[in-house]
């Protein structure tokens, strides 16, 4: 791997443009053989639930569910903020492939080596 990149995403359907662009950038990073992590927090955690992203398709971009699937297939990881997920009463049994519910310590561990982080 040639380095690491974290993409922090706090949006879902409330700003589907940012949600889409975050996964476009994450895919570009994974394709560049960087160890890439998308960290979903606040409203972004809704994207970790199967079916939620099905109808998100920004003009000029691939559908979000396709971008998310391609990211995971390329080896990308999706971390989901545990308190944010629980606060919204979401179902842990319905996580999308590649998503893992974590506490903040896992994000800090990933960033501990000085990995850059982009926020959307």
């Amino acid at each position: 791997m040639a380095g690491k990149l974290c993409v922090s995403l706090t949006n879902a359907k409330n700003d589907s443009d940012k949600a889409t662009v975050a996964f476009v950038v994450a895919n570009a990073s994974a394709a560049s053989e960087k160890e890439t992590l998308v960290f979903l927090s606040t409203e972004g955690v809704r994207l970790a639930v199967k079916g939620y992203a099905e109808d998100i398709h920004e003009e000029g971009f691939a559908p979000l569910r396709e971008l998310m699937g391609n990211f995971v297939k390329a080896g990308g990881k999706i971390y989901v903020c545990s308190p944010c997920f629980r606060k919204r009463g979401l179902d842990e049994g319905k996580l999308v492939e590649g998503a893992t519910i974590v506490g903040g310590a896992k994000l800090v561990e990933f960033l501990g080596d000085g990995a850059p982080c982009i926020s959307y």
Side-chain angles (χ1 to χ4, degrees):
M1 294 275 168
K4 293 179 172 182
L5 179 70
C6 172
V7 178
S8 176
L9 177 55
T10 60
N11 294 284
K13 288 182 180 174
N14 60 309
D15 193 333
S16 56
D17 193 29
K18 284 185 178 179
T20 299
V21 172
F23 273 95
V24 167
V25 170
N27 272 290
S29 177
S32 299
E33 299 188 14
K34 291 192 180 298
E35 183 179 351
T36 308
L37 166 69
V38 172
F39 182 71
L40 301 175
S41 62
T42 61
E43 279 299 292
V45 298
R46 295 186 188 282
L47 295 171
V49 177
K50 283 182 186 171
Y52 183 84
E54 289 297 314
D55 60 346
I56 300 175
H57 189 181
E58 288 292 317
E59 185 176 334
F61 295 96
L64 185 54
R65 64 174 157 59
E66 184 179 317
L67 291 168
M68 292 174 69
N70 289 343
F71 174 67
V72 171
K73 286 178 191 166
K77 297 177 187 170
I78 300 172
Y79 283 178
V80 183
C81 170
S82 176
C84 302
F85 196 83
R86 274 191 259 122
K87 175 184 175 182
R88 287 161 177 80
L90 302 173
D91 185 352
E92 291 185 30
K94 295 183 178 176
L95 288 178
V96 296
E97 183 180 345
T100 306
I101 295 178
V102 300
K106 290 294 284 182
L107 176 62
V108 171
E109 179 182 315
F110 185 86
L111 297 173
D113 295 338
C117 191
I118 302 169
S119 297
Y120 289 93

